[in-house]
Amino acid sequence: MATNTQTIKDTVKNYLMTEFLPGEDPNDLTDTTPLVTGGILDSISTFKLVGFLHSKFDVKLNANEIANHLNTLNDITDIVQAKQGVA
Amino acid sequence: MDFNLSEEQQSLREEIIRFARKELNEGVIERDRAQYFPHDLWMKCGEMGLQGLPVPVEYGGSGLDPLTTAIAMEALGYGCEDGGLTFAIAAHLLACVVPVWKHGSEAQKKRYLPGLCNGGLIAVNGITEAASGSDVFSMATTAMATDTGYMLNGSKTFSSNGPVADLALIYASTDAEKGYRGGISAFLVEKNTPGYRSGQRFEKMGLRTCSIGELVLEDVQVPADAMLGEIGTAAVIFAESMAWERICLVACHVGTMERLLEQAINYARTRKTGGQPIGKMQAISHRIADMKIRLEATRLLVYRAASRLGDSWEIDLDAAIAKIHASEALVKTAMDTMQILGGYGFMVDYGVERVLRDAMASTIYSGTSEVQRNIIGRWLGL
Ligand SMILES: Cc1cc2nc3c(=O)[nH]c(=O)nc-3n(C[C@H](O)[C@H](O)[C@H](O)COP(=O)(O)OP(=O)(O)OC[C@H]3O[C@@H](n4cnc5c(N)ncnc54)[C@H](O)[C@@H]3O)c2cc1C
């Protein structure tokens, strides 16, 4: 079932804060904070995030999407919505 | 979860064990000593379908699901005493054939998979470099776009099957700044491509019947359609192949451990000291009991991970756990068997020293034990 933009963003942000940024200020993680190029996600955590998106939103990302569409919260929200058919 | 083997799985297991015992074991000591890769046996394994177990039938494979693939690999590890050959098949299948099957274009699958599955083609996976092993995505090999495709330059090391391979799956940087995220691409390079050659062949402690060496790429021009998957997606292709390898390659270890366990039990029941079999001594029977516990625990971890391969969002975690447990269990079991066999275990004819030498590599290849622990730690939020 399709999930709305804000719900996706909040869920993913909450996940990123809990998993990868414990103790950090949530205000520092904006919609456009670079996650991969900014060093928040490395290869292991990227695959962990991919697994989370699969389990939470029932979306399976292909190799291209994993490589190129996970750098910001906005990117992630867009790709989840696109995969859910709401783009 | 029910891991009782179905009738089909049971008969496949028996068939592979029978085949391996009959066809693959003779002369293994001499081959190991000579570091000789048995191409004729490789072809026989191809006839048995071992190099294409999970690949769909339409491309020449056997179309097995991942769990049945693991069960087949376990049977090979049990029946085949040539650990180098088993490893060569596993490396070919899991790190090369699986990526071509999963990410190849229709043309690539039609061109390569039938030969890769029937033994006609041998494949090598080239990602590790002299200066980047665990830190694998910091590779120096580059692929520069040209008018007609890509120009590859660099070198790879520790490449299993490299010296005998017909087809190389080469990972190269197409965008150094992006690194693992969108900057690594994979290419299929045929052995006769100008500028590509197999470099130094290594002498090794174990797995000596599997040829391992360097791959050299000097201005290797490949067409655009030699790329596997899309540009920049190879980190994902590689990660997926490692999940397969960390689960289905170590399934072979389960079979090997079972063989060692049986060897240890047989020896402990018949070897006497002080008028009674050594197995009656608690020091020996407890060691063997621990071997049994290790075997069953490893089998469950491998079966569970294999049954989730392709579905589970936690597969990288499952694979790391299965890999580390199976490889460390194999080393320990080989050492225990040697201890139980006493001086005979140290002698080449008994085969245990070879298994131990082969086993020592298992905590290094497919990502070291330290790297697997890093992965598990990260999954636990550390
Ligand atoms: C038998 C065999 C077959 C192989 N086959 C292939 C093949 O077919 N294709 C291929 O591309 N490669 C292959 N390899 C290479 C293999 O994947 C690498 O050897 C392995 O990834 C380790 O890299 P390295 O040897 O450069 O060690 P390094 O990465 O230099 O590691 C050295 C030591 O430091 C530790 N270490 C490194 N980084 C960390 C870290 N971040 N945290 C904790 N500890 C760390 C390691 O665990 C290790 O103990 C093979 C290797 C072997 C032994």
Side-chain angles (χ1 to χ4, degrees):
Chain A
M1 206 180 70
T3 320
N4 77 40
T5 309
Q6 202 52 47
T7 308
I8 297 172
K9 215 169 260 179
D10 291 346
T11 310
V12 174
K13 179 166 180 170
N14 188 32
Y15 176 77
L16 293 172
M17 290 307 305
T18 314
E19 286 292 324
F20 308 122
L21 295 165
E24 302 290 328
D25 183 351
N27 294 319
D28 290 345
L29 179 60
T30 69
D31 292 355
T32 54
T33 303
L35 300 170
V36 181
T37 49
I40 295 170
L41 293 179
D42 65 6
S43 58
I44 297 173
S45 39
T46 299
F47 291 118
K48 201 172 161 188
L49 172 65
V50 170
F52 172 77
L53 298 176
H54 180 198
S55 73
K56 199 77 197 168
F57 303 112
D58 199 22
V59 295
K60 260 190 163 171
L61 302 185
N62 64 30
N64 180 28
E65 290 155 350
I66 295 170
N68 296 311
H69 296 273
L70 298 179
N71 199 33
T72 64
L73 265 174
N74 278 343
D75 289 347
I76 297 169
T77 307
D78 288 349
I79 194 70
V80 169
Q81 286 200 311
K83 297 293 278 193
Q84 288 186 329
V86 188
Chain B
M1 262 179 261
D2 175 8
F3 291 133
N4 287 318
L5 303 198
S6 68
E7 252 176 56
E8 292 79 23
Q9 288 168 334
Q10 187 61 39
S11 63
L12 175 71
R13 178 184 156 82
E14 283 162 14
E15 192 188 352
I16 292 173
I17 292 170
R18 236 187 346 264
F19 161 77
R21 283 179 170 159
K22 181 163 175 271
E23 305 285 354
L24 306 181
N25 293 341
E26 202 183 313
V28 62
I29 290 176
E30 291 72 26
R31 285 202 296 277
D32 179 76
R33 195 172 288 140
Q35 292 217 94
Y36 175 75
F37 168 70
H39 193 254
D40 52 334
L41 303 186
W42 173 274
M43 292 306 293
K44 284 186 181 173
C45 291
E47 281 165 32
M48 266 297 284
L50 295 177
Q51 284 93 322
L53 293 166
V55 175
V57 176
E58 59 182 302
Y59 298 114
S62 303
L64 302 183
D65 61 71
L67 176 59
T68 310
T69 299
I71 290 165
M73 297 303 282
E74 177 189 346
L76 183 65
Y78 178 73
C80 178
E81 293 173 18
D82 186 338
L85 177 61
T86 304
F87 179 76
I89 289 171
H92 162 95
L93 168 60
L94 304 164
C96 305
V97 179
V98 166
V100 174
W101 158 42
K102 292 280 184 182
H103 298 278
S105 65
E106 202 48 37
Q108 287 169 333
K109 290 196 262 193
K110 286 201 169 116
R111 181 171 173 81
Y112 297 119
L113 284 178
L116 290 171
C117 292
N118 70 18
L121 294 176
I122 302 175
V124 53
N125 149 49
I127 188 159
T128 305
E129 299 181 0
S132 64
S134 301
D135 188 12
V136 76
F137 295 126
S138 65
M139 64 185 64
T141 297
T142 55
M144 303 273 291
T146 64
D147 287 347
T148 54
Y150 290 87
M151 174 94 80
L152 274 59
N153 273 293
S155 65
K156 300 290 175 181
T157 196
F158 302 148
S159 313
S160 306
N161 297 330
V164 294
D166 304 291
L167 183 70
L169 170 50
I170 299 290
Y171 292 86
S173 168
T174 37
D175 185 336
E177 244 169 51
K178 284 189 176 169
Y180 80 89
R181 185 191 150 268
I184 310 285
S185 304
F187 298 87
L188 295 170
V189 180
E190 297 181 11
K191 76 169 170 194
N192 293 325
T193 311
Y196 168 82
R197 66 185 165 85
S198 161
Q200 184 193 352
R201 177 175 180 258
F202 296 110
E203 176 162 12
K204 312 179 302 299
M205 171 185 186
L207 301 173
R208 287 166 66 88
T209 60
C210 171
S211 285
I212 298 186
E214 290 176 337
L215 305 175
V216 180
L217 301 125
E218 286 167 343
D219 292 342
V220 176
Q221 177 70 51
V222 293
D225 63 8
M227 184 180 281
L228 184 70
E230 293 173 61
I231 188 162
T233 62
V236 181
I237 295 174
F238 178 70
E240 184 183 38
S241 77
M242 281 303 103
W244 276 82
E245 191 165 281
R246 287 169 188 161
I247 296 167
C248 293
L249 194 163
V250 306
C252 301
H253 301 349
V254 177
T256 307
M257 288 198 297
E258 181 156 22
R259 178 156 47 81
L260 290 174
L261 175 68
E262 289 174 3
Q263 190 175 359
I265 293 171
N266 287 338
Y267 191 82
R269 286 161 66 98
T270 51
R271 173 73 174 172
K272 290 186 177 160
T273 61
Q276 62 169 347
I278 58 169
K280 291 289 172 208
M281 291 157 195
Q282 210 177 50
I284 299 290
S285 66
H286 281 192
R287 197 185 280 271
I288 291 179
D290 286 345
M291 288 168 65
K292 173 69 173 165
I293 296 166
R294 223 177 283 133
L295 166 67
E296 297 304 337
T298 309
R299 181 180 278 133
L300 281 178
L301 282 175
V302 169
Y303 282 12
R304 176 175 174 274
S307 72
R308 288 152 57 104
L309 196 47
D311 289 337
S312 167
W313 65 282
E314 286 184 327
I315 200 63
D316 293 335
L317 173 63
D318 291 348
I321 293 172
K323 199 272 175 179
I324 198 167
H325 189 84
S327 55
E328 294 184 354
L330 177 66
V331 173
K332 181 84 177 76
T333 294
M335 291 203 298
D336 280 348
T337 309
M338 180 171 282
Q339 195 65 24
I340 290 163
L341 266 66
Y344 293 101
F346 198 66
M347 301 301 146
V348 169
D349 281 353
Y350 282 72
V352 181
E353 62 82 34
R354 191 178 62 254
V355 178
L356 179 56
R357 285 189 284 108
D358 292 348
M360 291 308 291
S362 68
T363 59
I364 299 172
Y365 58 65
S366 310
T368 65
S369 287
E370 289 79 6
V371 166
Q372 304 312 310
R373 287 194 165 85
N374 286 349
I375 294 172
I376 294 165
R378 297 300 298 279
W379 272 88
L380 298 176
L382 303 171

